[in-house]
Protein backbone atom coordinates (compact mmCIF):
# COMPACT_ATOMS: atom_id res chain seq x y z
CA UNK A 1 0.00 0.00 0.00
CA UNK A 2 1.62 3.21 -1.19
CA UNK A 3 1.10 6.45 0.66
CA UNK A 4 0.83 9.11 -2.03
CA UNK A 5 1.94 12.59 -1.01
CA UNK A 6 0.44 15.40 -3.05
CA UNK A 7 2.34 18.41 -4.34
CA UNK A 8 0.49 20.65 -1.88
CA UNK A 9 1.34 18.38 1.06
CA UNK A 10 5.01 18.53 0.07
CA UNK A 11 4.82 22.31 -0.16
CA UNK A 12 3.22 22.61 3.29
CA UNK A 13 5.69 20.20 4.89
CA UNK A 14 8.62 22.20 3.49
CA UNK A 15 7.20 25.50 4.72
CA UNK A 16 6.44 24.08 8.19
CA UNK A 17 9.98 22.76 8.44
CA UNK A 18 11.25 26.30 7.93
CA UNK A 19 8.89 28.24 10.15
CA UNK A 20 10.48 31.34 11.68
CA UNK A 21 10.69 31.51 15.49
CA UNK A 22 7.90 33.31 17.30
CA UNK A 23 10.42 36.01 18.26
CA UNK A 24 10.58 36.92 14.56
CA UNK A 25 6.82 37.56 14.32
CA UNK A 26 6.08 41.22 14.91
CA UNK A 27 2.52 41.82 13.70
CA UNK A 28 -0.78 40.23 12.71
CA UNK A 29 0.25 40.68 9.08
CA UNK A 30 3.31 38.49 9.75
CA UNK A 31 1.05 35.74 11.08
CA UNK A 32 -1.21 36.02 8.03
CA UNK A 33 1.72 35.80 5.62
CA UNK A 34 2.96 32.59 7.27
CA UNK A 35 -0.56 31.12 7.45
CA UNK A 36 -0.86 31.59 3.69
CA UNK A 37 2.28 29.49 3.25
CA UNK A 38 1.52 26.62 5.64
CA UNK A 39 -2.24 26.13 5.24
CA UNK A 40 -3.93 24.26 2.38
CA UNK A 41 -4.94 26.75 -0.29
CA UNK A 42 -8.65 26.05 0.10
CA UNK A 43 -8.45 26.52 3.87
CA UNK A 44 -6.63 29.83 3.59
CA UNK A 45 -9.06 31.07 0.94
CA UNK A 46 -11.95 30.32 3.31
CA UNK A 47 -10.21 32.10 6.19
CA UNK A 48 -9.18 35.21 4.23
CA UNK A 49 -11.95 35.76 1.69
CA UNK A 50 -14.52 38.56 1.68
CA UNK A 51 -17.79 38.61 -0.24
CA UNK A 52 -18.20 39.36 -3.95
CA UNK A 53 -15.55 41.87 -5.10
CA UNK A 54 -14.32 42.28 -1.52
CA UNK A 55 -15.09 46.00 -1.36
CA UNK A 56 -16.30 45.63 2.23
CA UNK A 57 -13.23 43.78 3.48
CA UNK A 58 -10.97 46.44 1.93
CA UNK A 59 -13.05 49.22 3.47
CA UNK A 60 -12.76 47.50 6.85
CA UNK A 61 -8.97 47.61 6.57
CA UNK A 62 -9.09 51.24 5.40
CA UNK A 63 -11.35 52.18 8.34
CA UNK A 64 -8.68 51.11 10.83
CA UNK A 65 -5.98 52.91 8.85
CA UNK A 66 -7.96 56.15 9.23
CA UNK A 67 -7.68 56.03 13.03
CA UNK A 68 -4.86 58.28 14.23
CA UNK A 69 -3.37 58.60 17.70
CA UNK A 70 -2.72 62.14 18.96
CA UNK A 71 -0.60 61.69 22.09
CA UNK A 72 -0.22 64.43 24.66
CA UNK A 73 3.32 65.27 25.70
CA UNK A 74 5.00 66.02 29.03
CA UNK A 75 2.32 64.32 31.10
CA UNK A 76 3.19 63.07 34.58
CA UNK A 77 2.63 59.36 33.92
CA UNK A 78 4.63 56.21 34.59
CA UNK A 79 5.08 53.07 32.53
CA UNK A 80 2.78 50.80 34.52
CA UNK A 81 0.15 50.59 31.79
CA UNK A 82 -2.97 48.62 32.67
CA UNK A 83 -4.76 47.22 29.61
CA UNK A 84 -7.38 45.30 31.59
CA UNK A 85 -11.09 46.02 31.30
CA UNK A 86 -14.46 44.37 31.92
CA UNK A 87 -16.61 42.69 29.27
CA UNK A 88 -20.20 42.25 30.48
CA UNK A 89 -18.83 42.30 34.02
CA UNK A 90 -16.00 39.80 33.39
CA UNK A 91 -12.47 41.03 34.11
CA UNK A 92 -10.09 40.46 31.18
CA UNK A 93 -6.50 41.56 30.65
CA UNK A 94 -6.93 42.95 27.12
CA UNK A 95 -9.84 44.78 25.44
CA UNK A 96 -10.01 42.19 22.62
CA UNK A 97 -11.66 38.81 22.27
CA UNK A 98 -11.18 35.66 20.18
CA UNK A 99 -14.21 35.56 17.93
CA UNK A 100 -16.43 32.61 17.07
CA UNK A 101 -15.20 30.89 13.95
CA UNK A 102 -16.31 27.73 12.15
CA UNK A 103 -13.28 25.86 10.92
CA UNK A 104 -10.49 26.24 13.49
CA UNK A 105 -9.60 22.56 13.24
CA UNK A 106 -8.69 22.97 9.56
CA UNK A 107 -5.65 24.93 10.75
CA UNK A 108 -4.71 22.72 13.70
CA UNK A 109 -5.95 19.33 14.99
CA UNK A 110 -6.84 20.82 18.39
CA UNK A 111 -8.90 23.61 16.83
CA UNK A 112 -10.91 25.59 19.39
CA UNK A 113 -9.19 23.78 22.25
CA UNK A 114 -5.93 25.55 21.36
CA UNK A 115 -7.81 28.85 21.39
CA UNK A 116 -9.35 27.96 24.75
CA UNK A 117 -5.94 27.20 26.28
CA UNK A 118 -4.46 30.43 24.88
CA UNK A 119 -7.42 32.53 26.03
CA UNK A 120 -7.19 31.17 29.56
CA UNK A 121 -3.43 31.67 29.72
CA UNK A 122 -3.70 35.30 28.54
CA UNK A 123 -7.00 35.98 30.35
CA UNK A 124 -8.79 37.18 27.23
CA UNK A 125 -12.38 36.44 26.26
CA UNK A 126 -13.11 33.55 23.89
CA UNK A 127 -16.37 33.40 21.96
CA UNK A 128 -17.29 29.74 21.39
CA UNK A 129 -18.96 29.10 18.00
CA UNK A 130 -22.12 27.11 17.48
CA UNK A 131 -20.21 25.27 14.74
CA UNK A 132 -17.55 24.14 17.18
CA UNK A 133 -15.20 21.34 16.11
CA UNK A 134 -16.07 19.60 19.40
CA UNK A 135 -19.40 18.41 20.82
CA UNK A 136 -20.64 20.79 23.53
CA UNK A 137 -19.89 18.53 26.51
CA UNK A 138 -16.50 17.46 25.18
CA UNK A 139 -15.37 21.05 24.68
CA UNK A 140 -16.43 22.26 28.13
CA UNK A 141 -15.40 19.20 30.17
CA UNK A 142 -11.86 20.51 30.79
CA UNK A 143 -12.63 24.25 30.88
CA UNK A 144 -11.64 25.88 34.20
CA UNK A 145 -14.56 27.45 36.04
CA UNK A 146 -12.75 30.80 36.21
CA UNK A 147 -12.33 31.04 32.43
CA UNK A 148 -14.38 33.65 30.55
CA UNK A 149 -16.49 32.56 27.60
CA UNK A 150 -19.19 34.00 25.39
CA UNK A 151 -21.19 31.64 23.19
CA UNK A 152 -22.29 32.45 19.65
CA UNK A 153 -25.44 31.03 18.08
CA UNK A 154 -27.42 31.30 14.86
CA UNK A 155 -30.62 29.60 13.77
CA UNK A 156 -30.70 27.22 10.82
CA UNK A 157 -34.41 26.41 11.10
CA UNK A 158 -37.54 27.81 12.66
CA UNK A 159 -37.94 24.67 14.78
CA UNK A 160 -34.44 25.20 16.18
CA UNK A 161 -35.41 28.71 17.22
CA UNK A 162 -38.62 27.53 18.89
CA UNK A 163 -36.75 24.80 20.80
CA UNK A 164 -33.81 26.98 21.81
CA UNK A 165 -34.69 26.73 25.50
CA UNK A 166 -32.72 23.47 25.73
CA UNK A 167 -29.55 25.10 24.46
CA UNK A 168 -30.07 28.06 26.78
CA UNK A 169 -30.13 25.77 29.81
CA UNK A 170 -26.86 24.14 28.72
CA UNK A 171 -25.16 27.52 28.43
CA UNK A 172 -26.52 28.71 31.76
CA UNK A 173 -25.16 25.60 33.48
CA UNK A 174 -21.57 26.30 32.37
CA UNK A 175 -19.71 28.49 34.92
CA UNK A 176 -17.39 29.92 32.25
CA UNK A 177 -20.20 31.18 29.97
CA UNK A 178 -20.82 34.86 30.67
CA UNK A 179 -22.90 35.91 27.67
CA UNK A 180 -24.80 34.79 24.57
CA UNK A 181 -24.21 36.43 21.16
CA UNK A 182 -26.82 35.84 18.46
CA UNK A 183 -25.93 36.33 14.81
CA UNK A 184 -28.24 38.83 13.12
CA UNK A 185 -26.56 39.05 9.70
CA UNK A 186 -27.08 35.53 8.40
CA UNK A 187 -29.97 35.65 5.97
CA UNK A 188 -27.61 33.75 3.65
CA UNK A 189 -23.93 32.91 3.29
CA UNK A 190 -22.09 35.74 1.54
CA UNK A 191 -21.17 35.34 -2.13
CA UNK A 192 -17.51 34.51 -1.46
CA UNK A 193 -16.16 34.36 -5.00
CA UNK A 194 -12.46 33.79 -4.23
CA UNK A 195 -13.31 31.04 -1.77
CA UNK A 196 -15.76 29.38 -4.18
CA UNK A 197 -13.27 29.58 -7.06
CA UNK A 198 -10.57 27.85 -5.02
CA UNK A 199 -12.93 25.11 -3.83
CA UNK A 200 -14.00 24.45 -7.43
CA UNK A 201 -10.34 23.74 -8.23
CA UNK A 202 -9.99 21.38 -5.25
CA UNK A 203 -13.33 19.58 -5.13
CA UNK A 204 -12.10 16.46 -3.37
CA UNK A 205 -10.06 18.27 -0.72
CA UNK A 206 -12.84 20.78 -0.04
CA UNK A 207 -15.83 18.48 0.40
CA UNK A 208 -16.37 19.18 4.09
CA UNK A 209 -15.61 22.88 3.74
CA UNK A 210 -18.12 23.16 0.89
CA UNK A 211 -20.81 21.54 3.03
CA UNK A 212 -20.27 24.18 5.72
CA UNK A 213 -20.35 27.23 3.45
CA UNK A 214 -22.95 26.10 0.94
CA UNK A 215 -24.54 29.22 -0.55
CA UNK A 216 -28.28 29.42 -1.09
CA UNK A 217 -29.17 27.76 2.22
CA UNK A 218 -32.38 29.18 3.66
CA UNK A 219 -31.78 30.26 7.25
CA UNK A 220 -34.61 30.90 9.66
CA UNK A 221 -35.97 34.46 9.74
CA UNK A 222 -34.90 36.02 13.03
CA UNK A 223 -36.84 39.10 14.20
CA UNK A 224 -36.99 41.54 17.12
CA UNK A 225 -40.02 39.60 18.37
CA UNK A 226 -37.95 36.39 18.46
CA UNK A 227 -35.20 38.25 20.31
CA UNK A 228 -37.68 39.46 22.95
CA UNK A 229 -38.81 35.87 23.53
CA UNK A 230 -35.26 34.53 23.90
CA UNK A 231 -34.32 37.30 26.31
CA UNK A 232 -37.32 36.41 28.47
CA UNK A 233 -36.14 32.79 28.73
CA UNK A 234 -32.58 33.25 30.00
CA UNK A 235 -30.61 34.81 32.80
CA UNK A 236 -27.55 35.25 30.55
CA UNK A 237 -26.77 38.65 29.03
CA UNK A 238 -28.05 38.52 25.43
CA UNK A 239 -26.04 40.34 22.76
CA UNK A 240 -26.23 40.77 18.99
CA UNK A 241 -23.42 39.96 16.55
CA UNK A 242 -23.39 41.52 13.09
CA UNK A 243 -25.06 44.92 13.62
CA UNK A 244 -24.37 47.51 10.91
CA UNK A 245 -26.73 50.45 11.52
CA UNK A 246 -26.66 53.00 14.31
CA UNK A 247 -30.45 53.00 14.72
CA UNK A 248 -30.35 49.23 15.30
CA UNK A 249 -27.81 49.75 18.09
CA UNK A 250 -30.19 52.20 19.74
CA UNK A 251 -33.18 49.88 19.34
CA UNK A 252 -31.18 46.96 20.76
CA UNK A 253 -30.19 49.05 23.79
CA UNK A 254 -33.81 50.09 24.36
CA UNK A 255 -34.82 46.42 24.38
CA UNK A 256 -32.21 45.55 27.00
CA UNK A 257 -29.59 43.95 24.76
CA UNK A 258 -26.33 44.12 26.73
CA UNK A 259 -23.82 44.50 23.85
CA UNK A 260 -23.52 44.52 20.08
CA UNK A 261 -20.72 43.56 17.75
CA UNK A 262 -20.44 46.02 14.88
CA UNK A 263 -19.66 43.75 11.95
CA UNK A 264 -20.47 43.02 8.31
CA UNK A 265 -18.77 39.61 8.45
CA UNK A 266 -21.78 37.76 7.06
Amino acid sequence: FENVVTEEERRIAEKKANLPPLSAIFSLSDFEKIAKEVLPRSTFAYYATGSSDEFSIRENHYAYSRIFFRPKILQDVDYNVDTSTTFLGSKVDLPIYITAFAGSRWADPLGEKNLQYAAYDANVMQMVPKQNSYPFDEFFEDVPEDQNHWCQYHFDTRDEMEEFIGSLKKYEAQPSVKGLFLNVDLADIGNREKDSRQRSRDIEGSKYLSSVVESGKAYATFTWKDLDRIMSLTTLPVCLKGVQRGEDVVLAAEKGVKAVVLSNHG
Side-chain angles (χ1 to χ4, degrees):
F1 180 77
E2 185 179 357
N3 184 21
V4 178
V5 179
T6 66
E7 180 183 345
E8 182 167 68
E9 287 171 334
R10 283 195 296 271
R11 173 187 66 83
I12 291 173
E14 180 182 340
K15 293 295 184 181
K16 284 186 174 180
N18 293 284
L19 282 173
L22 193 59
S23 59
I25 307 300
F26 301 107
S27 69
L28 291 176
S29 297
D30 290 345
F31 276 113
E32 186 170 354
K33 179 178 182 296
I34 294 169
K36 188 175 183 179
E37 294 177 344
V38 301
L39 291 176
R41 289 187 176 90
S42 294
T43 299
F44 183 80
Y46 170 67
Y47 286 175
T49 293
S51 294
S52 299
D53 293 321
E54 299 190 316
F55 293 133
S56 293
I57 197 171
R58 287 196 291 274
E59 284 299 319
N60 290 345
H61 284 294
Y62 296 155
Y64 279 106
S65 71
R66 289 192 290 267
I67 297 174
F68 293 89
F69 292 98
R70 301 170 57 229
K72 293 181 177 181
I73 63 169
L74 303 178
Q75 301 297 301
D76 186 14
V77 297
D78 59 30
Y79 289 97
N80 295 317
V81 177
D82 182 4
T83 60
S84 66
T85 188
T86 56
F87 280 159
L88 301 179
S90 299
K91 182 73 176 293
V92 292
D93 287 352
L94 283 172
I96 61 173
Y97 74 94
I98 300 173
T99 197
F101 181 68
S104 296
R105 202 172 247 178
W106 299 327
D108 185 273
L110 289 177
E112 292 85 359
K113 276 291 186 180
N114 263 351
L115 300 177
Q116 180 245 311
Y117 301 148
Y120 185 72
D121 185 59
N123 190 30
V124 299
M125 184 68 70
Q126 179 190 16
M127 185 185 287
V128 181
K130 174 189 177 184
Q131 290 178 297
N132 197 337
S133 303
Y134 296 85
F136 184 93
D137 293 336
E138 183 181 345
F139 178 80
F140 281 103
E141 65 182 355
D142 298 322
V143 170
E145 290 193 4
D146 60 341
Q147 181 152 7
N148 292 314
H149 278 133
W150 293 331
C151 284
Q152 172 271 331
Y153 207 90
H154 62 269
F155 299 103
D156 293 292
T157 66
R158 188 72 208 177
D159 287 344
E160 184 181 22
M161 192 182 303
E162 296 295 338
E163 298 166 2
F164 190 49
I165 184 66
S167 296
L168 284 172
K169 297 307 178 187
K170 287 198 303 183
Y171 293 140
E172 290 173 351
Q174 290 297 328
S176 69
V177 176
K178 308 297 172 51
L180 174 66
F181 282 72
L182 302 174
N183 271 44
V184 293
D185 62 346
L186 199 63
D188 192 9
I189 296 293
N191 178 31
R192 300 158 58 85
E193 293 178 6
K194 188 187 296 181
D195 175 32
S196 300
R197 193 175 294 115
Q198 175 57 40
R199 284 186 286 109
S200 72
R201 298 191 190 107
D202 181 23
I203 296 174
E204 186 63 30
S206 303
K207 277 185 177 180
Y208 180 71
L209 176 57
S210 295
S211 70
V212 172
V213 298
E214 180 183 355
S215 187
K217 178 179 180 179
Y219 289 89
T221 300
F222 185 40
T223 68
W224 290 108
K225 184 178 179 180
D226 297 316
L227 175 66
D228 289 338
R229 174 179 168 271
I230 290 171
M231 291 178 64
S232 72
L233 295 174
T234 183
T235 57
L236 287 172
V238 175
C239 314
L240 303 182
K241 182 173 181 285
V243 180
Q244 299 176 61
R245 298 175 68 96
E247 55 264 43
D248 284 337
V249 176
V250 173
L251 183 54
E254 290 173 347
K255 286 182 170 292
V257 171
K258 298 303 182 185
V260 299
V261 175
L262 303 179
S263 168
N264 55 16
H265 92 283

